[in-house]
Amino acid sequence: MRKKRNIKIINVLHLEEEKYAKIRDYRNQEYVRKVSVNTNPITVEEHLKYLELLKKQDNYFAFLITRDDEDFGVISLKKFSDDTYFIGDYLVDELSKYEGGGIVNRICISYIASKLNIKYLKTMQNKNNTRSNRAGGVKTLKVVSLNNNFNDVTAIVDDFYSPDTLDSKPRKLFDKLYEISGFIF
């Protein structure tokens, strides 16, 4: 049996300046921007302002997901209420979607939510982002069509430790292939 791949979830506040700059590069890739609410490239100034919001650690959080110490995905959260956050997530390499990227992000989202006591996630989901629509990682509560391009989605986060989650097909696949070896908050 092949060795499980090592997953780490790292708060971006613990990244060195060069690594934080890579987050901006990842977000500005065409395949990420074309399914984002804001399709414009993020400027250096905007990226630095976001870092200042993250430093307050009260309403904003962002995490870099690594797989075998290689950057894999990014998950960002903005507090909406005590138990509800807006979420944005993407893979740093478009080809990772063929390597179980949706499953990795789904399980990491569930893990982070358990640590931050998040029960619900809200997102603006691009209707053309079919991978997100299939692998969103949560139980959808409500979908409201905002326009031709986006839905406003509210969802219940999978409880990382519940028997239902542990017995789910995505979780079984994740546990077979991956291991979360670190959560650096």
Side-chain angles (χ1 to χ4, degrees), residues 2-7 67-68 72 96 99-101 103-104 173-180:
R2 108 180 173 194
K3 184 180 172 190
K4 289 185 180 184
R5 300 190 83 171
N6 182 22
I7 300 291
R67 183 179 67 181
D68 298 332
F72 190 74
S96 294
E99 300 172 11
I103 297 298
V104 172
L173 178 61
F174 179 88
D175 289 344
K176 181 178 178 181
L177 301 174
Y178 303 100
E179 176 180 34
I180 298 176

Side-chain angles (χ1 to χ4, degrees), residues 5-167:
R5 300 190 83 171
N6 182 22
I7 300 291
K8 290 183 185 167
I9 304 169
I10 305 162
N11 187 320
V12 300
L13 293 177
H14 296 284
L15 300 177
E16 295 176 6
E17 189 175 318
E18 306 84 43
K19 183 63 94 169
Y20 180 69
K22 289 292 291 178
I23 302 282
R24 179 179 158 268
D25 294 341
Y26 298 145
R27 166 54 180 80
N28 282 340
Q29 295 177 96
E30 178 65 27
Y31 80 92
V32 175
R33 288 189 302 118
K34 76 180 181 183
V35 295
S36 297
V37 173
N38 177 3
T39 58
N40 297 323
I42 303 299
T43 66
V44 172
E45 294 78 22
E46 290 169 324
H47 196 57
L48 292 175
K49 284 180 184 176
Y50 183 63
L51 180 59
E52 292 306 312
L53 291 171
L54 292 171
K55 286 179 180 177
K56 294 178 183 175
Q57 293 192 345
D58 56 356
N59 290 321
Y60 293 87
F61 300 93
F63 299 92
L64 175 66
I65 309 303
T66 64
R67 183 179 67 181
D68 298 332
D69 295 320
E70 296 289 326
D71 297 352
F72 190 74
V74 176
I75 297 171
S76 61
L77 299 161
K78 177 184 176 189
K79 190 172 189 176
F80 180 74
S81 68
D82 284 343
D83 63 357
T84 306
Y85 284 72
F86 285 100
I87 186 168
D89 72 300
Y90 54 88
L91 301 171
V92 301
D93 180 351
E94 185 175 24
L95 296 179
S96 294
K97 65 186 177 187
Y98 302 112
E99 300 172 11
I103 297 298
V104 172
N105 269 13
R106 175 180 182 161
I107 301 304
C108 289
I109 289 166
S110 176
Y111 186 83
I112 292 166
S114 72
K115 297 294 185 184
L116 296 178
N117 201 29
I118 298 170
K119 305 287 185 232
Y120 305 98
L121 293 173
K122 294 181 73 55
T123 188
M124 299 283 284
Q125 191 174 73
N126 187 311
K127 293 177 184 177
N128 295 323
N129 187 1
T130 58
R131 292 196 83 66
S132 175
N133 294 334
R134 285 197 316 258
V138 290
K139 299 173 190 102
T140 302
L141 278 179
K142 181 173 76 171
V143 176
V144 176
S145 182
L146 298 175
N147 55 41
N148 291 336
N149 297 322
F150 289 95
N151 287 328
D152 178 40
V153 178
T154 302
I156 301 172
V157 181
D158 293 333
D159 177 354
F160 186 78
Y161 300 103
S162 78
D164 287 342
T165 300
L166 292 170
D167 198 38

